[in-house]
């Protein structure tokens, strides 16, 4: 219909026209959430697959806004590690980021607010780079600065989104593997799941631009769920950029989240 056509045009034009500085602060941007689809992969722990969670325009913006900010990734405690050989970049809040934050919070229901989200983190992998098996939730034993994280900053990570921002056409490898979650059985999953992996490896999602996985990290009593163990498998060729959206149990201090320049109206 005419209306549908208009919506598509509006969703695509504003970011592209912006003010051209790549900061997403052009005043023409209007947040329009894409009609992404969701499917449950596992109910315990909860793991949901989302198709079309990030639009092509949002992905292009995330890439250009983070281009110069990548540094060798750290793990808990702020240290470099052979466990995680990727580069990461934190991206400041701008209208596009705000829009993605709003979507990520809304997906989790009315009891989760945008103020519980950590600053969004992009992760870039070049060939051979990977992130070995880990959980995203903090355990005070493994994290040198867990006290800082837990006390002042909203507690533990209740959930994670990992979305694929960029996957070069020659990319091989680079799936996201959950060894303790059973792979779904129906062959229709094979468009997003690597069905060539042996079943004892659990489930491996192939990196597909715009799609995302969401999972719950904690049990109802707040303790970490070890079954959420996962890895960013080595990229064997090409490049992969993903984004982490982590939600805490409570609102984060402004010193962590940054002043909210784009409050909800
Ligand atoms: O790269 C991936 O597929 C997963 C990355 C990840 O788990 C993380 O950055 O915490
Ligand atoms: Fe992770």
């Amino acid at each position: 219909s005419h209306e549908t056509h208009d919506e598509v045009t509006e969703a695509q034009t504003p970011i592209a026209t912006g003010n051209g500085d790549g900061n997403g602060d052009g005043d023409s941007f209007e947040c329009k959430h894409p009609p992404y689809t969701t499917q449950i992969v596992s109910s315990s722990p909860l793991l949901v697959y989302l198709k079309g969670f990030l639009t092509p325009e949002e992905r292009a913006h995330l890439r250009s806004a983070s281009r110069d900010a990548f540094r060798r990734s750290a793990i808990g405690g702020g240290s470099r590690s052979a466990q995680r050989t990727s580069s990461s970049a934190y991206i400041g809040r701008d209208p596009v980021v705000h829009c993605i934050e709003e979507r990520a919070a809304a997906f989790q229901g009315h009891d989760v607010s945008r103020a519980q989200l950590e600053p969004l983190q992009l992760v870039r992998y070049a060939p051979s780079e990977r992130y070995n098996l880990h959980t995203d939730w903090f355990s005070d034993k493994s994290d040198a600065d867990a006290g800082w994280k837990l006390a002042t900053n909203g507690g533990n990570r209740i959930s994670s989104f990992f979305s694929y921002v960029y996957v070069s056409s020659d990319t091989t490898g680079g799936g996201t593997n959950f060894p303790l979650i059973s792979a779904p059985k129906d062959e229709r999953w094979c468009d997003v799941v690597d069905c060539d992996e042996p079943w004892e490896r659990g489930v491996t999602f192939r990196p597909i631009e715009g799609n995302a996985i969401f999972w719950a990290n904690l049990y109802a009593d707040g303790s970490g769920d070890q079954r959420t163990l996962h890895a960013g498998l080595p990229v064997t060729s090409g490049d992969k950029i993903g984004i982490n959206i982590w939600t805490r149990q409570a609102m984060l201090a402004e010193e962590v989240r940054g002043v909210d320049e784009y409050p909800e109206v």
Side-chain angles (χ1 to χ4, degrees):
S1 73
H2 177 246
E3 231 169 75
T4 309
H5 174 78
D6 272 354
E7 268 172 36
V8 169
T9 308
E10 278 168 27
Q12 294 181 346
T13 311
I15 308 178
T17 54
N19 61 7
D21 67 3
N23 289 330
D25 55 4
D27 49 17
S28 57
F29 176 75
E30 200 185 332
C31 178
K32 293 248 175 144
H33 299 298
Y36 64 87
T37 63
T38 57
Q39 284 179 302
I40 296 172
V41 177
S42 162
S43 52
S44 182
L46 179 64
L47 191 156
V48 179
Y49 195 85
L50 304 92
K51 280 187 185 164
F53 186 70
L54 297 177
T55 68
E57 295 72 27
E58 289 164 349
R59 293 190 290 100
H61 173 76
L62 291 172
R63 286 185 71 199
S64 65
S66 63
R67 187 154 284 147
D68 301 321
F70 282 95
R71 304 285 178 270
R72 173 74 190 267
S73 298
I75 54 166
S79 54
R80 288 177 171 204
S81 165
Q83 287 279 101
R84 192 183 191 194
T85 55
S86 51
S87 304
S88 336
Y90 285 97
I91 183 163
R93 189 170 303 105
D94 60 36
V96 178
V97 170
H98 181 279
C99 184
I100 296 168
E101 287 184 331
E102 213 174 53
R103 189 176 313 150
F107 176 73
Q108 300 180 74
H110 296 300
D111 293 332
V112 170
S113 83
R114 219 164 38 75
Q116 288 169 248
L117 303 185
E118 291 183 33
L120 306 193
Q121 185 197 60
L122 285 133
V123 193
R124 187 181 67 199
Y125 301 83
S128 88
E129 294 182 352
R130 72 194 180 280
Y131 191 176
N132 288 350
L133 287 173
H134 66 281
T135 59
D136 289 349
W137 47 270
F138 308 124
S139 74
D140 18 284
K141 291 177 189 74
S142 68
D143 272 309
D145 59 350
W148 179 84
K149 285 170 174 162
L150 294 171
T152 66
N153 301 311
N156 216 331
R157 290 171 172 161
I158 58 174
S159 67
S160 303
F161 288 86
F162 189 77
S163 185
Y164 307 101
V165 172
Y166 173 71
V167 182
S168 63
S169 55
D170 61 339
T171 296
T172 53
T176 309
N177 172 243
F178 292 76
L180 303 179
I181 295 180
S182 304
K185 296 184 189 68
D186 193 285
E187 65 181 23
R188 282 172 290 183
W189 285 105
C190 301
D191 60 344
V192 298
V193 165
D194 183 348
C195 293
D196 296 330
E197 286 274 20
W199 70 268
E200 51 307 344
R201 293 248 304 165
V203 60
T204 299
F205 299 98
R206 296 192 285 110
I208 300 173
E209 288 181 344
N211 293 359
I213 39 184
F214 168 88
W215 65 95
N217 282 311
L218 308 178
Y219 287 105
D221 69 359
S223 61
D225 189 336
Q226 192 64 39
R227 298 171 302 174
T228 64
L229 197 70
H230 61 280
L233 298 180
V235 167
T236 43
S237 66
D239 282 298
K240 164 188 162 192
I241 298 176
I243 189 167
N244 282 303
I245 307 175
W246 285 308
T247 303
R248 299 297 190 87
Q249 291 169 302
M251 294 198 282
L252 279 156
E254 206 167 67
E255 72 208 62
V256 178
R257 261 182 70 67
V259 177
D260 212 323
E261 294 165 72
Y262 299 93
E264 264 120 1
V265 281

